Amino acid sequence: MNLPQSLPITNRFIEILVIQLGSRSELIQSLIAIQLIKKFYPELAVSILIQGKYIKIVQRISWIHKVIALPEKILKKLCFSDSLKILEQWILPYLKNIWDFLINWTYSESSSYLATLLPARVKIGYTRKKDFSFLINDEWSYYIKNVIQKNIQQNIHLIDIFFTQLLRALQIHVGAPMDHLPPTENSFHFFFNHKELEILNHLPPSKKWISLQINLENAPSVLKLEDWAKLTHYLLENHPDYSIVLLGHFKDPLISQNYMKTLQSLTPLSHQVINLLGKNNFDLWAFFIYCSQWLISNDPTALHLASLLNTQVLSFLPMKFKAVPYGDGHYIIETKKTSISPEIIYGTWAYVEAKKAYTWKVSLKAYFSQLGWEKQLDSYRIYYSKMRPVAQGGGLTYQPLLVQPLSFTSWSSRVISDLAKAWYTGYTPLKNELLAGEVHPELIQNLQSLEKCLLQLHQICQQAIDIATKLDQKSTQILSFHIMKIEDQYEIDIWIRHLKKLEKKIHQLFEHFPTLNVFYQLLKIKMEFHSEHRPEFGKEVLKAYQHMRHGIQVYQTWIQNTVQLTQPCFVEKIHHLNFLYH
Amino acid sequence: MPKIQFYNEKNYETIYLKKGDQKKLLSEFLKNFLKEMQSTKKS
């Protein structure tokens, strides 16, 4: 297939194809990112390639231009050669269309082949080279491969990565977004048909709803079924203005029966619960999440769906899941333990509700001691989500509601996230968002030894920059790297040898400090030089070490700001007390 | 509302695939996709 090298493209919609062949949760996160980007570039025509089984999720969304569904159910049933024939037929119409941008947000081995096959002018995400070897074209995709897919703790929400990645590509190839953004419709009716929306009119207007999405499959030990019933009991007994919708995709009818039995034994108010456990209808599910004021859940897909539908979320998942709702004002409970108590969930929710109703200044800890549950708080981390202003780098941040000592690994994860933003978007962190209460002597000790390591690293980096500058200057002076004076050749060889020695030293330093491993991984990509004997080599090395110096500076600023939090504040001498000093 | 204009067209990548490559890519996609589906099911 030969495509013309340059096509006349003016005054028309920009056509984007997003490949999202991942899970339902990843699909919803992609939709949120598309929705965000459409606010900045309203004239994008975004099509999406998904697994056929998720067609219901996207079919009614008006801001999705075209939905392409993979017939994966048929492919799984047939033998390989028959499946291949089906696939060849299926893909044929899509090979004729040349998209302006192809964004592969699946980040899987298989999708990289599909991304190579589909014609587009700009490709982002995993693709393949001409010899079919693996290819990554952009830096955020490196970050996904080397940090997120390696399960390294980091602090940037996947939706922010998707959004920034696409925004950057559009800024480079299309231009800056419109200055005056048109007002966007704040309605989420795109998911529903008229019949469903009519039900909304029949619901009592004074009644508020809480959706409880029960997930026992992926996180069996987080909240037991009887504890879900206990949580429902707390909510019904203490908040008569709320009714409960029970959601959960179960095949076993016994789960629903057991839940109701337990609830009936706890409260006479069980009739105030709409029980939709086991009803696997997507429209119904999305509709009730949309109607609810709150979603309380440990289900990653549900909390992303609620984020998309602008429903406030209280999520509780073990740390390993790393799924957090997107947007302002959600609450996140994290636990290291295998189980969570219903009291912690209820107490946190009730605290947030009380804060909404009264202008309170009571802390969460004080509220829990009023309830008599303060001892339970120790094994949890509780955060609320906040969108950072664009001037401060944008994106989602997590503010602790419960101040607890910060581990060195968590500290490092925040630095890495800032570093990625500094490298890939040009954002320079103004200040870190740590609280004094999070800093403790053990962390300071770790930071002091890190500072020593960074100092050495900085010295080596500076030497490398000096050599690379010379190399770069020499490259501009000589006409060809194949024909040059012997003394020039000699000088270049010495510099290259010196650079290699410095690289070895850097490697050894990083080995001594495993916490810097992510920094090293991200740096290594920048230091993959193709050949030493090319005129661009000096420039490439110089750029890589300048990046490294920038990274070291980000770390040093973080250390400085963290240490400063522990130092006593300077208190101005009060003049009227001057007599005390005389 | 004015439509967005493209510029910097020289930066656009275009891909050149031979007919045989298309089949190879599709077959690699299918092989890996089925493998990935299997492993998600197990996990």
Side-chain angles (χ1 to χ4, degrees):
Chain A
M1 178 179 49
N2 283 340
L3 301 175
Q5 215 160 10
S6 170
L7 290 162
I9 319 160
T10 45
N11 283 334
R12 63 162 181 79
F13 291 104
I14 299 158
E15 284 197 60
I16 296 182
L17 175 68
V18 171
I19 302 180
Q20 184 45 276
L21 292 171
S23 66
R24 193 163 51 173
S25 158
E26 283 156 342
L27 171 59
I28 293 171
Q29 291 186 80
S30 303
L31 290 175
I32 299 174
I34 295 169
Q35 198 188 28
L36 279 173
I37 206 82
K38 286 270 290 180
K39 284 184 185 169
F40 290 87
Y41 293 88
E43 303 224 356
L44 298 178
V46 186
S47 299
I48 190 161
L49 169 53
I50 56 166
Q51 291 191 52
K53 62 179 171 183
Y54 299 137
I55 192 112
K56 274 214 150 191
I57 301 178
V58 276
Q59 66 184 0
R60 286 193 204 146
I61 301 178
S62 56
W63 36 268
I64 293 292
H65 182 59
K66 214 186 279 173
V67 181
I68 303 172
L70 184 80
E72 80 282 352
K73 274 186 189 165
I74 305 169
L75 299 179
K76 274 192 274 182
K77 274 181 199 161
L78 300 173
C79 68
F80 190 82
S81 59
D82 287 347
S83 296
L84 196 58
K85 275 178 201 160
I86 299 257
L87 208 54
E88 278 171 0
Q89 288 299 314
W90 168 80
I91 205 158
L92 219 57
Y94 310 119
L95 295 178
K96 288 171 193 159
N97 190 18
I98 303 167
W99 276 278
D100 297 315
F101 292 85
L102 185 146
I103 321 288
N104 184 6
W105 279 340
T106 317
Y107 290 106
S108 66
E109 182 91 1
S110 66
S111 66
S112 66
Y113 292 102
L114 207 56
T116 314
L117 191 57
L118 292 161
R121 295 181 176 87
V122 179
K123 291 189 181 183
I124 293 168
Y126 295 176
T127 54
R128 298 266 150 186
K129 289 180 195 162
K130 275 183 190 171
D131 60 353
F132 295 168
S133 57
F134 192 68
L135 173 70
I136 293 179
N137 281 325
D138 66 292
E139 287 170 313
W140 278 117
S141 298
Y142 277 118
Y143 186 79
I144 293 212
K145 189 170 192 306
N146 289 293
V147 179
I148 295 183
Q149 291 190 331
K150 282 189 179 160
N151 281 328
I152 291 166
Q153 197 180 335
Q154 61 92 39
N155 237 18
I156 310 179
H157 201 288
L158 189 64
I159 296 170
D160 278 333
I161 295 180
F162 285 171
F163 170 71
T164 322
Q165 196 182 30
L166 186 50
L167 181 72
R168 189 136 179 86
L170 288 165
Q171 281 171 334
I172 292 170
H173 297 284
V174 180
M178 291 165 76
D179 283 343
H180 303 289
L181 299 175
T184 44
E185 203 191 341
N186 260 340
S187 155
F188 298 89
H189 287 184
F190 53 78
F191 255 133
F192 315 107
N193 62 24
H194 293 297
K195 260 190 187 172
E196 283 156 357
L197 289 170
E198 255 177 47
I199 304 175
L200 204 60
N201 296 329
H202 295 293
L203 293 174
S206 56
K207 208 75 179 159
K208 292 189 279 185
W209 296 86
I210 301 170
S211 281
L212 297 183
Q213 170 95 26
I214 302 179
N215 179 9
L216 300 171
E217 280 170 16
N218 290 338
S221 51
V222 170
L223 191 68
K224 292 171 199 144
L225 194 66
E226 52 270 31
D227 286 337
W228 275 105
K230 212 170 172 184
L231 171 66
T232 318
H233 155 66
Y234 286 137
L235 292 166
L236 289 174
E237 290 280 330
N238 301 310
H239 304 270
D241 49 335
Y242 274 102
S243 285
I244 307 289
V245 186
L246 270 184
L247 304 165
H249 309 298
F250 305 115
K251 282 175 190 153
D252 184 1
L254 271 179
I255 292 174
S256 172
Q257 286 168 23
N258 289 341
Y259 167 86
M260 285 315 282
K261 248 189 221 167
T262 319
L263 185 66
Q264 278 156 5
S265 70
L266 291 169
T267 174
L269 299 170
S270 61
H271 61 275
Q272 284 193 28
V273 173
I274 297 180
N275 185 352
L276 296 176
L277 287 178
K279 307 245 177 340
N280 289 319
N281 180 329
F282 175 79
D283 293 339
L284 202 66
W285 179 40
F287 181 70
F288 273 101
I289 288 183
Y290 168 69
C291 292
S292 301
Q293 273 69 27
W294 278 95
L295 170 80
I296 301 179
S297 183
N298 61 341
D299 184 295
T301 314
L303 59 94
H304 292 311
L305 185 61
S307 307
L308 180 66
L309 297 169
N310 218 14
T311 300
Q312 200 170 12
V313 179
L314 172 62
S315 85
F316 54 97
L317 278 164
M319 279 168 185
K320 62 174 184 171
F321 277 84
K322 293 185 191 109
V324 274
Y326 191 81
D328 261 323
H330 300 300
Y331 289 80
I332 300 129
I333 303 174
E334 268 187 354
T335 171
K336 276 185 188 170
K337 296 198 309 190
T338 49
S339 62
I340 186 168
S341 82
E343 286 78 20
I344 287 292
I345 301 167
Y346 170 70
T348 309
W349 180 85
Y351 172 74
V352 178
E353 274 295 288
K355 274 202 101 168
K356 264 189 207 171
Y358 318 105
T359 43
W360 249 26
K361 286 207 169 159
V362 177
S363 70
L364 183 75
K365 216 169 186 171
Y367 184 73
F368 265 77
S369 51
Q370 279 175 25
L371 296 172
W373 294 336
E374 76 273 20
K375 277 186 187 162
Q376 293 198 28
L377 274 177
D378 293 342
S379 40
Y380 299 98
R381 288 187 177 275
I382 303 174
Y383 305 93
Y384 67 95
S385 62
K386 200 178 161 195
M387 295 305 288
R388 202 190 261 147
V390 180
Q392 286 171 27
L396 192 72
T397 58
Y398 314 103
Q399 311 282 322
L401 207 61
L402 198 64
V403 183
Q404 276 178 352
L406 189 74
S407 72
F408 185 44
T409 321
S410 296
W411 182 91
S412 301
S413 76
R414 296 194 194 185
V415 187
I416 274 300
S417 308
D418 258 4
L419 189 63
K421 283 184 190 165
W423 275 353
Y424 308 154
T425 64
Y427 154 72
T428 314
L430 301 172
K431 61 177 181 111
N432 57 37
E433 286 149 343
L434 291 180
L435 300 171
E438 291 180 290
V439 186
H440 53 100
E442 199 189 317
L443 178 68
I444 296 292
Q445 228 172 354
N446 278 319
L447 295 185
Q448 280 165 346
S449 49
L450 175 64
E451 201 173 18
K452 279 180 201 159
C453 170
L454 287 170
L455 211 64
Q456 287 180 53
L457 210 57
H458 191 271
Q459 282 167 354
I460 301 170
C461 185
Q462 199 50 53
Q463 285 177 37
I465 286 175
D466 292 343
I467 297 169
T469 313
K470 285 183 206 163
L471 199 62
D472 184 37
Q473 280 164 358
K474 184 63 91 185
S475 309
T476 51
Q477 285 162 13
I478 54 175
L479 289 171
S480 161
F481 260 59
H482 299 292
I483 312 158
M484 66 172 102
K485 286 183 200 165
I486 294 174
E487 50 267 36
D488 284 341
Q489 176 76 59
Y490 181 69
E491 214 169 12
I492 287 172
D493 281 346
I494 289 176
W495 289 335
I496 290 173
R497 270 206 299 273
H498 202 158
L499 278 173
K500 279 188 177 167
K501 270 186 197 166
L502 292 175
E503 215 181 308
K504 232 183 201 172
K505 270 190 187 176
I506 289 171
H507 180 71
Q508 282 164 354
L509 255 170
F510 275 114
E511 268 190 345
H512 279 291
F513 232 97
T515 331
L516 286 176
N517 186 34
V518 193
F519 181 34
Y520 187 47
Q521 291 299 327
L522 293 178
L523 212 58
K524 252 167 62 181
I525 303 150
K526 290 184 182 291
M527 294 170 87
E528 277 171 8
F529 312 116
H530 298 293
S531 160
E532 298 153 1
H533 294 285
R534 286 178 309 118
E536 302 86 30
F537 180 67
K539 210 174 265 348
E540 284 172 10
V541 177
L542 181 63
K543 216 175 152 189
Y545 280 105
Q546 278 168 343
H547 260 107
M548 185 175 181
R549 189 171 58 185
H550 184 198
I552 294 168
Q553 281 163 356
V554 172
Y555 266 98
Q556 283 171 332
T557 313
W558 263 82
I559 293 175
Q560 226 172 27
N561 291 346
T562 311
V563 172
Q564 251 174 24
L565 287 173
T566 59
Q567 286 164 357
C569 297
F570 172 73
V571 182
E572 268 187 75
K573 208 167 24 170
I574 304 168
H575 291 293
H576 68 268
L577 293 178
N578 268 356
F579 64 90
L580 286 174
Y581 302 103
H582 295 298
Chain B
M1 197 186 291
K3 298 229 164 60
I4 300 158
Q5 284 202 340
F6 266 95
Y7 63 88
N8 231 359
E9 277 184 30
K10 276 179 195 165
N11 285 348
Y12 288 149
E13 292 165 28
T14 43
I15 53 162
Y16 299 92
L17 289 175
K18 291 176 210 155
K19 275 212 166 168
D21 287 347
Q22 284 188 19
K23 199 164 186 173
K24 230 187 219 172
L25 283 166
L26 263 187
S27 126
E28 283 299 318
F29 162 71
L30 185 61
K31 199 170 77 188
N32 284 287
F33 182 74
L34 294 174
K35 220 194 283 173
E36 284 159 14
M37 292 303 254
Q38 208 63 33
S39 64
T40 354
K41 225 179 185 182
K42 273 180 199 164
S43 66

